[in-house]
Amino acid sequence: MLLLGGTGEARALAGLLVGAGASVTTSLAGRVSRPALPVGEVRIGGFGGVAGLRQAVLDGGFDVVVDATHPFAATISAHAAQACADLVPLLRLQRPGWEGVRATRVGSHAEAAAVAARYRRPFLTVGRQSLDDFRSALGAHPAVARVVEPTEVPEAWTLLRSRGPYTLEGELALVQELGVDVLVSKDSGGDLTRPKLEAAARLGVPVVLVDRPPPPAGVSTVATPELAAAWVLEQQDGREVQQ
Ligand code: NAP
């Protein structure tokens, strides 16, 4: 199986399948310097678009692909849908978005930046690659940006480098210490970074949430590594019966 990864769910799925005796190769984009590595084989770096991914599936002799990339990694998900069509079965593993959050929901980072510009000191937790819209809209604000990898930010900003998971206690202390007056996040879902939302709610800090991009059409989707593992093993059983 080829597993398009870069998420905790992908690592969990690799663990389940390797434990069940399957052969798993996880693909990482290579964005972070010290990635958390899954069990099984790992390859790192882009494929070179749809054609490159299709060729990699053929060259690697992969007979199923699971796209367990981040909900906002829309390009690789679209590439996987195109590359696997008529070639091998493809499943999308995507954690559900955050429910029950009091937030201003917006459709893009540009919209989020426009809303955040109404505040004095926004706390930007959208990831390094999504900061461009905020740099231009909030360059003069004393904003705080939290990122995993280093990046250039306007002089007025404070850059925090850290990687989740985060605790509620830690997030409560941080939001108070920084004196931020709005939290900006994308709707990543999952538990690892959710405490910031609870901290903001408790401290009365408004939240701006960027909605997810739509998933590629026609690709079956499951929400948990367990369901994805069951799907992969069913595919394997189906092939064995045919042989
Ligand atoms: P993206 O915009 O959807 O993809 C851009 C390009 O990066 C793709 O065209 C592909 O290059 C390469 N790529 C992406 N994921 C890959 C993978 N798993 N293996 C090999 N190549 C990959 O992706 P992104 O938003 O930059 O995210 C990159 C990685 O970080 C993903 O694996 C994702 O799961 C992880 N991640 C993303 C976010 C986020 O907020 N976007 C958050 C946490 C983790 P080629 O066209 O050359 O094949």
PDB file of all heavy atoms in Angstrom, residues 3-7 27-29 31 43-50 53 68-70 72-77 79 126-127 129-130 186 188, ligand 1:
ATOM      1  N   LEU A   3       0.769   5.026   1.212  1.00  0.00           N
ATOM      2  CA  LEU A   3       0.023   5.848   2.165  1.00  0.00           C
ATOM      3  C   LEU A   3       0.538   7.271   2.079  1.00  0.00           C
ATOM      4  O   LEU A   3       1.711   7.530   2.421  1.00  0.00           O
ATOM      5  CB  LEU A   3       0.229   5.265   3.574  1.00  0.00           C
ATOM      6  CG  LEU A   3      -0.305   6.002   4.783  1.00  0.00           C
ATOM      7  CD1 LEU A   3      -1.776   6.343   4.632  1.00  0.00           C
ATOM      8  CD2 LEU A   3      -0.103   5.132   6.029  1.00  0.00           C
ATOM      9  N   LEU A   4      -0.288   8.166   1.584  1.00  0.00           N
ATOM     10  CA  LEU A   4       0.106   9.577   1.516  1.00  0.00           C
ATOM     11  C   LEU A   4      -0.121  10.155   2.899  1.00  0.00           C
ATOM     12  O   LEU A   4      -1.260  10.197   3.391  1.00  0.00           O
ATOM     13  CB  LEU A   4      -0.728  10.306   0.458  1.00  0.00           C
ATOM     14  CG  LEU A   4      -0.634   9.687  -0.946  1.00  0.00           C
ATOM     15  CD1 LEU A   4      -1.617  10.369  -1.898  1.00  0.00           C
ATOM     16  CD2 LEU A   4       0.784   9.783  -1.485  1.00  0.00           C
ATOM     17  N   GLY A   5       0.963  10.565   3.544  1.00  0.00           N
ATOM     18  CA  GLY A   5       0.889  10.846   4.979  1.00  0.00           C
ATOM     19  C   GLY A   5       1.149  12.289   5.349  1.00  0.00           C
ATOM     20  O   GLY A   5       0.826  13.206   4.619  1.00  0.00           O
ATOM     21  N   GLY A   6       1.739  12.448   6.537  1.00  0.00           N
ATOM     22  CA  GLY A   6       1.985  13.789   7.067  1.00  0.00           C
ATOM     23  C   GLY A   6       1.002  14.161   8.155  1.00  0.00           C
ATOM     24  O   GLY A   6       0.898  15.333   8.523  1.00  0.00           O
ATOM     25  N   THR A   7       0.275  13.177   8.681  1.00  0.00           N
ATOM     26  CA  THR A   7      -0.699  13.421   9.756  1.00  0.00           C
ATOM     27  C   THR A   7      -0.557  12.318  10.815  1.00  0.00           C
ATOM     28  O   THR A   7      -0.029  11.236  10.527  1.00  0.00           O
ATOM     29  CB  THR A   7      -2.143  13.362   9.216  1.00  0.00           C
ATOM     30  OG1 THR A   7      -2.343  12.064   8.605  1.00  0.00           O
ATOM     31  CG2 THR A   7      -2.422  14.430   8.185  1.00  0.00           C
ATOM     32  N   SER A  27       4.400   8.099   2.270  1.00  0.00           N
ATOM     33  CA  SER A  27       5.030   9.191   1.548  1.00  0.00           C
ATOM     34  C   SER A  27       4.837  10.492   2.307  1.00  0.00           C
ATOM     35  O   SER A  27       3.722  10.845   2.686  1.00  0.00           O
ATOM     36  CB  SER A  27       4.405   9.321   0.158  1.00  0.00           C
ATOM     37  OG  SER A  27       4.934  10.462  -0.479  1.00  0.00           O
ATOM     38  N   LEU A  28       5.949  11.202   2.531  1.00  0.00           N
ATOM     39  CA  LEU A  28       5.900  12.511   3.182  1.00  0.00           C
ATOM     40  C   LEU A  28       6.378  13.571   2.199  1.00  0.00           C
ATOM     41  O   LEU A  28       7.263  13.300   1.374  1.00  0.00           O
ATOM     42  CB  LEU A  28       6.805  12.526   4.422  1.00  0.00           C
ATOM     43  CG  LEU A  28       6.491  11.480   5.497  1.00  0.00           C
ATOM     44  CD1 LEU A  28       7.539  11.551   6.613  1.00  0.00           C
ATOM     45  CD2 LEU A  28       5.092  11.711   6.067  1.00  0.00           C
ATOM     46  N   ALA A  29       5.824  14.780   2.336  1.00  0.00           N
ATOM     47  CA  ALA A  29       6.187  15.837   1.388  1.00  0.00           C
ATOM     48  C   ALA A  29       7.591  16.356   1.625  1.00  0.00           C
ATOM     49  O   ALA A  29       8.237  16.864   0.719  1.00  0.00           O
ATOM     50  CB  ALA A  29       5.177  16.977   1.489  1.00  0.00           C
ATOM     51  N   ARG A  31       8.224  18.691   4.178  1.00  0.00           N
ATOM     52  CA  ARG A  31       8.107  20.103   4.583  1.00  0.00           C
ATOM     53  C   ARG A  31       8.787  20.406   5.916  1.00  0.00           C
ATOM     54  O   ARG A  31       9.199  21.515   6.156  1.00  0.00           O
ATOM     55  CB  ARG A  31       6.638  20.505   4.742  1.00  0.00           C
ATOM     56  CG  ARG A  31       5.819  20.429   3.501  1.00  0.00           C
ATOM     57  CD  ARG A  31       5.981  21.664   2.630  1.00  0.00           C
ATOM     58  NE  ARG A  31       4.992  21.595   1.572  1.00  0.00           N
ATOM     59  CZ  ARG A  31       5.157  20.916   0.445  1.00  0.00           C
ATOM     60  NH1 ARG A  31       6.289  20.301   0.216  1.00  0.00           N
ATOM     61  NH2 ARG A  31       4.195  20.871  -0.459  1.00  0.00           N
ATOM     62  N   ARG A  43       9.121   7.184   2.194  1.00  0.00           N
ATOM     63  CA  ARG A  43       9.783   7.929   1.120  1.00  0.00           C
ATOM     64  C   ARG A  43       9.456   9.406   1.337  1.00  0.00           C
ATOM     65  O   ARG A  43       8.382   9.732   1.856  1.00  0.00           O
ATOM     66  CB  ARG A  43       9.321   7.459  -0.275  1.00  0.00           C
ATOM     67  CG  ARG A  43       7.876   7.789  -0.532  1.00  0.00           C
ATOM     68  CD  ARG A  43       7.433   7.796  -1.963  1.00  0.00           C
ATOM     69  NE  ARG A  43       8.102   8.718  -2.848  1.00  0.00           N
ATOM     70  CZ  ARG A  43       7.898  10.032  -2.864  1.00  0.00           C
ATOM     71  NH1 ARG A  43       7.047  10.613  -2.030  1.00  0.00           N
ATOM     72  NH2 ARG A  43       8.533  10.785  -3.747  1.00  0.00           N
ATOM     73  N   ILE A  44      10.366  10.280   0.939  1.00  0.00           N
ATOM     74  CA  ILE A  44      10.166  11.705   1.230  1.00  0.00           C
ATOM     75  C   ILE A  44      10.366  12.538  -0.029  1.00  0.00           C
ATOM     76  O   ILE A  44      11.343  12.338  -0.759  1.00  0.00           O
ATOM     77  CB  ILE A  44      11.133  12.179   2.343  1.00  0.00           C
ATOM     78  CG1 ILE A  44      10.832  11.417   3.635  1.00  0.00           C
ATOM     79  CG2 ILE A  44      10.989  13.692   2.577  1.00  0.00           C
ATOM     80  CD1 ILE A  44      11.649  11.818   4.845  1.00  0.00           C
ATOM     81  N   GLY A  45       9.417  13.474  -0.280  1.00  0.00           N
ATOM     82  CA  GLY A  45       9.536  14.408  -1.402  1.00  0.00           C
ATOM     83  C   GLY A  45       8.372  14.282  -2.361  1.00  0.00           C
ATOM     84  O   GLY A  45       7.706  13.245  -2.403  1.00  0.00           O
ATOM     85  N   GLY A  46       8.126  15.361  -3.124  1.00  0.00           N
ATOM     86  CA  GLY A  46       7.029  15.364  -4.093  1.00  0.00           C
ATOM     87  C   GLY A  46       7.256  14.316  -5.182  1.00  0.00           C
ATOM     88  O   GLY A  46       8.377  13.840  -5.389  1.00  0.00           O
ATOM     89  N   PHE A  47       6.166  13.991  -5.899  1.00  0.00           N
ATOM     90  CA  PHE A  47       6.228  12.986  -6.967  1.00  0.00           C
ATOM     91  C   PHE A  47       6.452  13.632  -8.335  1.00  0.00           C
ATOM     92  O   PHE A  47       6.763  12.949  -9.296  1.00  0.00           O
ATOM     93  CB  PHE A  47       4.918  12.192  -7.021  1.00  0.00           C
ATOM     94  CG  PHE A  47       4.665  11.375  -5.793  1.00  0.00           C
ATOM     95  CD1 PHE A  47       3.844  11.850  -4.784  1.00  0.00           C
ATOM     96  CD2 PHE A  47       5.244  10.118  -5.637  1.00  0.00           C
ATOM     97  CE1 PHE A  47       3.605  11.093  -3.643  1.00  0.00           C
ATOM     98  CE2 PHE A  47       5.010   9.363  -4.509  1.00  0.00           C
ATOM     99  CZ  PHE A  47       4.189   9.855  -3.502  1.00  0.00           C
ATOM    100  N   GLY A  48       6.197  14.960  -8.400  1.00  0.00           N
ATOM    101  CA  GLY A  48       6.243  15.614  -9.698  1.00  0.00           C
ATOM    102  C   GLY A  48       4.880  15.580 -10.374  1.00  0.00           C
ATOM    103  O   GLY A  48       4.778  15.177 -11.543  1.00  0.00           O
ATOM    104  N   GLY A  49       3.841  15.976  -9.625  1.00  0.00           N
ATOM    105  CA  GLY A  49       2.499  16.102 -10.204  1.00  0.00           C
ATOM    106  C   GLY A  49       1.799  14.769 -10.381  1.00  0.00           C
ATOM    107  O   GLY A  49       2.266  13.716  -9.931  1.00  0.00           O
ATOM    108  N   VAL A  50       0.658  14.830 -11.092  1.00  0.00           N
ATOM    109  CA  VAL A  50      -0.201  13.655 -11.268  1.00  0.00           C
ATOM    110  C   VAL A  50       0.551  12.536 -11.990  1.00  0.00           C
ATOM    111  O   VAL A  50       0.523  11.370 -11.571  1.00  0.00           O
ATOM    112  CB  VAL A  50      -1.466  14.043 -12.072  1.00  0.00           C
ATOM    113  CG1 VAL A  50      -2.306  12.812 -12.363  1.00  0.00           C
ATOM    114  CG2 VAL A  50      -2.280  15.082 -11.319  1.00  0.00           C
ATOM    115  N   LEU A  53       3.068  10.852  -9.744  1.00  0.00           N
ATOM    116  CA  LEU A  53       2.446   9.995  -8.721  1.00  0.00           C
ATOM    117  C   LEU A  53       1.957   8.692  -9.351  1.00  0.00           C
ATOM    118  O   LEU A  53       2.156   7.599  -8.806  1.00  0.00           O
ATOM    119  CB  LEU A  53       1.296  10.765  -8.041  1.00  0.00           C
ATOM    120  CG  LEU A  53       0.466  10.008  -7.012  1.00  0.00           C
ATOM    121  CD1 LEU A  53       1.343   9.345  -5.955  1.00  0.00           C
ATOM    122  CD2 LEU A  53      -0.528  10.967  -6.335  1.00  0.00           C
ATOM    123  N   ALA A  68      -4.073   9.960   3.300  1.00  0.00           N
ATOM    124  CA  ALA A  68      -4.341  10.375   4.685  1.00  0.00           C
ATOM    125  C   ALA A  68      -3.659  11.710   4.969  1.00  0.00           C
ATOM    126  O   ALA A  68      -3.232  11.984   6.082  1.00  0.00           O
ATOM    127  CB  ALA A  68      -3.844   9.303   5.649  1.00  0.00           C
ATOM    128  N   THR A  69      -3.543  12.531   3.930  1.00  0.00           N
ATOM    129  CA  THR A  69      -2.901  13.834   4.113  1.00  0.00           C
ATOM    130  C   THR A  69      -3.844  14.772   4.862  1.00  0.00           C
ATOM    131  O   THR A  69      -5.019  14.475   5.076  1.00  0.00           O
ATOM    132  CB  THR A  69      -2.501  14.451   2.757  1.00  0.00           C
ATOM    133  OG1 THR A  69      -3.673  14.557   1.941  1.00  0.00           O
ATOM    134  CG2 THR A  69      -1.456  13.605   2.043  1.00  0.00           C
ATOM    135  N   HIS A  70      -3.300  15.927   5.227  1.00  0.00           N
ATOM    136  CA  HIS A  70      -4.042  16.905   6.039  1.00  0.00           C
ATOM    137  C   HIS A  70      -5.276  17.402   5.282  1.00  0.00           C
ATOM    138  O   HIS A  70      -5.241  17.526   4.047  1.00  0.00           O
ATOM    139  CB  HIS A  70      -3.096  18.069   6.345  1.00  0.00           C
ATOM    140  CG  HIS A  70      -3.607  19.023   7.355  1.00  0.00           C
ATOM    141  ND1 HIS A  70      -4.375  20.113   7.022  1.00  0.00           N
ATOM    142  CD2 HIS A  70      -3.480  19.033   8.695  1.00  0.00           C
ATOM    143  CE1 HIS A  70      -4.680  20.774   8.131  1.00  0.00           C
ATOM    144  NE2 HIS A  70      -4.164  20.138   9.158  1.00  0.00           N
ATOM    145  N   PHE A  72      -6.292  20.200   4.692  1.00  0.00           N
ATOM    146  CA  PHE A  72      -6.030  21.386   3.864  1.00  0.00           C
ATOM    147  C   PHE A  72      -4.987  21.124   2.775  1.00  0.00           C
ATOM    148  O   PHE A  72      -4.649  22.042   2.028  1.00  0.00           O
ATOM    149  CB  PHE A  72      -5.606  22.571   4.740  1.00  0.00           C
ATOM    150  CG  PHE A  72      -6.790  23.251   5.383  1.00  0.00           C
ATOM    151  CD1 PHE A  72      -7.380  22.716   6.514  1.00  0.00           C
ATOM    152  CD2 PHE A  72      -7.336  24.396   4.828  1.00  0.00           C
ATOM    153  CE1 PHE A  72      -8.490  23.315   7.096  1.00  0.00           C
ATOM    154  CE2 PHE A  72      -8.446  25.004   5.394  1.00  0.00           C
ATOM    155  CZ  PHE A  72      -9.035  24.462   6.533  1.00  0.00           C
ATOM    156  N   ALA A  73      -4.513  19.903   2.666  1.00  0.00           N
ATOM    157  CA  ALA A  73      -3.534  19.578   1.611  1.00  0.00           C
ATOM    158  C   ALA A  73      -4.308  19.197   0.346  1.00  0.00           C
ATOM    159  O   ALA A  73      -4.297  18.056  -0.107  1.00  0.00           O
ATOM    160  CB  ALA A  73      -2.604  18.463   2.078  1.00  0.00           C
ATOM    161  N   ALA A  74      -4.968  20.188  -0.243  1.00  0.00           N
ATOM    162  CA  ALA A  74      -5.931  19.914  -1.323  1.00  0.00           C
ATOM    163  C   ALA A  74      -5.252  19.501  -2.629  1.00  0.00           C
ATOM    164  O   ALA A  74      -5.828  18.742  -3.413  1.00  0.00           O
ATOM    165  CB  ALA A  74      -6.800  21.145  -1.558  1.00  0.00           C
ATOM    166  N   THR A  75      -4.046  19.973  -2.852  1.00  0.00           N
ATOM    167  CA  THR A  75      -3.394  19.678  -4.138  1.00  0.00           C
ATOM    168  C   THR A  75      -3.038  18.203  -4.239  1.00  0.00           C
ATOM    169  O   THR A  75      -3.354  17.539  -5.239  1.00  0.00           O
ATOM    170  CB  THR A  75      -2.127  20.544  -4.305  1.00  0.00           C
ATOM    171  OG1 THR A  75      -2.499  21.910  -4.168  1.00  0.00           O
ATOM    172  CG2 THR A  75      -1.476  20.333  -5.658  1.00  0.00           C
ATOM    173  N   ILE A  76      -2.401  17.674  -3.195  1.00  0.00           N
ATOM    174  CA  ILE A  76      -1.996  16.265  -3.270  1.00  0.00           C
ATOM    175  C   ILE A  76      -3.240  15.364  -3.297  1.00  0.00           C
ATOM    176  O   ILE A  76      -3.245  14.327  -3.980  1.00  0.00           O
ATOM    177  CB  ILE A  76      -1.014  15.890  -2.125  1.00  0.00           C
ATOM    178  CG1 ILE A  76      -0.450  14.490  -2.324  1.00  0.00           C
ATOM    179  CG2 ILE A  76      -1.644  16.029  -0.758  1.00  0.00           C
ATOM    180  CD1 ILE A  76       0.508  14.333  -3.443  1.00  0.00           C
ATOM    181  N   SER A  77      -4.314  15.765  -2.613  1.00  0.00           N
ATOM    182  CA  SER A  77      -5.534  14.944  -2.647  1.00  0.00           C
ATOM    183  C   SER A  77      -6.133  14.916  -4.053  1.00  0.00           C
ATOM    184  O   SER A  77      -6.576  13.864  -4.530  1.00  0.00           O
ATOM    185  CB  SER A  77      -6.573  15.476  -1.654  1.00  0.00           C
ATOM    186  OG  SER A  77      -6.135  15.227  -0.334  1.00  0.00           O
ATOM    187  N   HIS A  79      -4.418  15.384  -6.788  1.00  0.00           N
ATOM    188  CA  HIS A  79      -3.492  14.589  -7.620  1.00  0.00           C
ATOM    189  C   HIS A  79      -3.734  13.101  -7.424  1.00  0.00           C
ATOM    190  O   HIS A  79      -3.702  12.324  -8.390  1.00  0.00           O
ATOM    191  CB  HIS A  79      -2.038  14.921  -7.256  1.00  0.00           C
ATOM    192  CG  HIS A  79      -1.602  16.267  -7.740  1.00  0.00           C
ATOM    193  ND1 HIS A  79      -0.312  16.729  -7.612  1.00  0.00           N
ATOM    194  CD2 HIS A  79      -2.283  17.264  -8.369  1.00  0.00           C
ATOM    195  CE1 HIS A  79      -0.224  17.934  -8.134  1.00  0.00           C
ATOM    196  NE2 HIS A  79      -1.401  18.291  -8.592  1.00  0.00           N
ATOM    197  N   VAL A 126      -2.404  29.233  11.658  1.00  0.00           N
ATOM    198  CA  VAL A 126      -2.866  28.662  10.390  1.00  0.00           C
ATOM    199  C   VAL A 126      -1.771  27.879   9.661  1.00  0.00           C
ATOM    200  O   VAL A 126      -2.027  27.294   8.608  1.00  0.00           O
ATOM    201  CB  VAL A 126      -3.386  29.765   9.438  1.00  0.00           C
ATOM    202  CG1 VAL A 126      -4.660  30.387   9.985  1.00  0.00           C
ATOM    203  CG2 VAL A 126      -2.326  30.833   9.208  1.00  0.00           C
ATOM    204  N   GLY A 127      -0.556  27.882  10.216  1.00  0.00           N
ATOM    205  CA  GLY A 127       0.545  27.174   9.547  1.00  0.00           C
ATOM    206  C   GLY A 127       1.346  28.128   8.668  1.00  0.00           C
ATOM    207  O   GLY A 127       0.804  29.063   8.071  1.00  0.00           O
ATOM    208  N   GLN A 129       2.635  27.888   5.737  1.00  0.00           N
ATOM    209  CA  GLN A 129       2.339  28.023   4.304  1.00  0.00           C
ATOM    210  C   GLN A 129       1.097  28.846   4.017  1.00  0.00           C
ATOM    211  O   GLN A 129       0.834  29.187   2.871  1.00  0.00           O
ATOM    212  CB  GLN A 129       2.174  26.642   3.680  1.00  0.00           C
ATOM    213  CG  GLN A 129       3.456  25.842   3.704  1.00  0.00           C
ATOM    214  CD  GLN A 129       3.240  24.500   3.040  1.00  0.00           C
ATOM    215  OE1 GLN A 129       3.343  24.382   1.836  1.00  0.00           O
ATOM    216  NE2 GLN A 129       2.904  23.491   3.823  1.00  0.00           N
ATOM    217  N   SER A 130       0.321  29.152   5.058  1.00  0.00           N
ATOM    218  CA  SER A 130      -0.915  29.914   4.843  1.00  0.00           C
ATOM    219  C   SER A 130      -0.787  31.354   5.331  1.00  0.00           C
ATOM    220  O   SER A 130      -1.794  32.059   5.421  1.00  0.00           O
ATOM    221  CB  SER A 130      -2.079  29.237   5.577  1.00  0.00           C
ATOM    222  OG  SER A 130      -2.188  27.896   5.191  1.00  0.00           O
ATOM    223  N   LYS A 186      -7.348  27.230  11.060  1.00  0.00           N
ATOM    224  CA  LYS A 186      -8.147  26.542  10.054  1.00  0.00           C
ATOM    225  C   LYS A 186      -8.837  25.368  10.725  1.00  0.00           C
ATOM    226  O   LYS A 186      -8.399  24.909  11.782  1.00  0.00           O
ATOM    227  CB  LYS A 186      -7.317  26.138   8.858  1.00  0.00           C
ATOM    228  CG  LYS A 186      -5.995  25.546   9.116  1.00  0.00           C
ATOM    229  CD  LYS A 186      -5.251  25.557   7.784  1.00  0.00           C
ATOM    230  CE  LYS A 186      -3.875  25.002   7.898  1.00  0.00           C
ATOM    231  NZ  LYS A 186      -3.064  25.359   6.741  1.00  0.00           N
ATOM    232  N   SER A 188      -8.846  22.309  11.157  1.00  0.00           N
ATOM    233  CA  SER A 188      -8.040  21.099  10.961  1.00  0.00           C
ATOM    234  C   SER A 188      -8.711  19.877  11.567  1.00  0.00           C
ATOM    235  O   SER A 188      -8.530  18.763  11.084  1.00  0.00           O
ATOM    236  CB  SER A 188      -6.662  21.284  11.597  1.00  0.00           C
ATOM    237  OG  SER A 188      -5.972  22.304  10.941  1.00  0.00           O
TER     238      SER A 188
HETATM  239  P1  NAP B   1      -0.419  20.303  -0.954  1.00  0.00           P
HETATM  240  O1  NAP B   1      -0.447  21.782  -1.094  1.00  0.00           O
HETATM  241  O2  NAP B   1      -1.684  19.555  -1.102  1.00  0.00           O
HETATM  242  O3  NAP B   1       0.631  19.659  -1.966  1.00  0.00           O
HETATM  243  C1  NAP B   1       1.612  20.419  -2.657  1.00  0.00           C
HETATM  244  C2  NAP B   1       2.614  19.454  -3.253  1.00  0.00           C
HETATM  245  O4  NAP B   1       3.397  18.855  -2.217  1.00  0.00           O
HETATM  246  C3  NAP B   1       1.982  18.288  -3.988  1.00  0.00           C
HETATM  247  O5  NAP B   1       1.624  18.644  -5.306  1.00  0.00           O
HETATM  248  C4  NAP B   1       3.080  17.246  -3.909  1.00  0.00           C
HETATM  249  O6  NAP B   1       4.128  17.546  -4.829  1.00  0.00           O
HETATM  250  C5  NAP B   1       3.673  17.495  -2.542  1.00  0.00           C
HETATM  251  N1  NAP B   1       3.088  16.651  -1.504  1.00  0.00           N
HETATM  252  C6  NAP B   1       2.120  16.965  -0.605  1.00  0.00           C
HETATM  253  N2  NAP B   1       1.897  15.963   0.235  1.00  0.00           N
HETATM  254  C7  NAP B   1       2.743  14.962  -0.132  1.00  0.00           C
HETATM  255  C8  NAP B   1       3.002  13.662   0.374  1.00  0.00           C
HETATM  256  N3  NAP B   1       2.350  13.185   1.453  1.00  0.00           N
HETATM  257  N4  NAP B   1       3.960  12.926  -0.249  1.00  0.00           N
HETATM  258  C9  NAP B   1       4.634  13.406  -1.328  1.00  0.00           C
HETATM  259  N5  NAP B   1       4.436  14.636  -1.826  1.00  0.00           N
HETATM  260  C10 NAP B   1       3.504  15.404  -1.239  1.00  0.00           C
HETATM  261  O7  NAP B   1       0.235  19.910   0.455  1.00  0.00           O
HETATM  262  P2  NAP B   1       0.617  20.826   1.710  1.00  0.00           P
HETATM  263  O8  NAP B   1      -0.613  21.488   2.216  1.00  0.00           O
HETATM  264  O9  NAP B   1       1.829  21.615   1.357  1.00  0.00           O
HETATM  265  O10 NAP B   1       1.004  19.692   2.759  1.00  0.00           O
HETATM  266  C11 NAP B   1       2.217  18.996   2.613  1.00  0.00           C
HETATM  267  C12 NAP B   1       2.250  17.863   3.609  1.00  0.00           C
HETATM  268  O11 NAP B   1       2.123  18.366   4.922  1.00  0.00           O
HETATM  269  C13 NAP B   1       1.122  16.854   3.399  1.00  0.00           C
HETATM  270  O12 NAP B   1       1.681  15.574   3.452  1.00  0.00           O
HETATM  271  C14 NAP B   1       0.166  17.107   4.557  1.00  0.00           C
HETATM  272  O13 NAP B   1      -0.433  15.918   5.022  1.00  0.00           O
HETATM  273  C15 NAP B   1       1.090  17.715   5.608  1.00  0.00           C
HETATM  274  N6  NAP B   1       0.403  18.726   6.426  1.00  0.00           N
HETATM  275  C16 NAP B   1      -0.214  19.791   5.833  1.00  0.00           C
HETATM  276  C17 NAP B   1      -0.851  20.733   6.632  1.00  0.00           C
HETATM  277  C18 NAP B   1      -1.602  21.874   6.004  1.00  0.00           C
HETATM  278  O14 NAP B   1      -2.154  22.674   6.755  1.00  0.00           O
HETATM  279  N7  NAP B   1      -1.659  22.006   4.695  1.00  0.00           N
HETATM  280  C19 NAP B   1      -0.842  20.584   8.015  1.00  0.00           C
HETATM  281  C20 NAP B   1      -0.184  19.489   8.590  1.00  0.00           C
HETATM  282  C21 NAP B   1       0.445  18.562   7.780  1.00  0.00           C
HETATM  283  P3  NAP B   1       4.200  16.889  -6.278  1.00  0.00           P
HETATM  284  O15 NAP B   1       3.164  17.573  -7.097  1.00  0.00           O
HETATM  285  O16 NAP B   1       5.604  17.142  -6.705  1.00  0.00           O
HETATM  286  O17 NAP B   1       3.909  15.416  -6.115  1.00  0.00           O
END
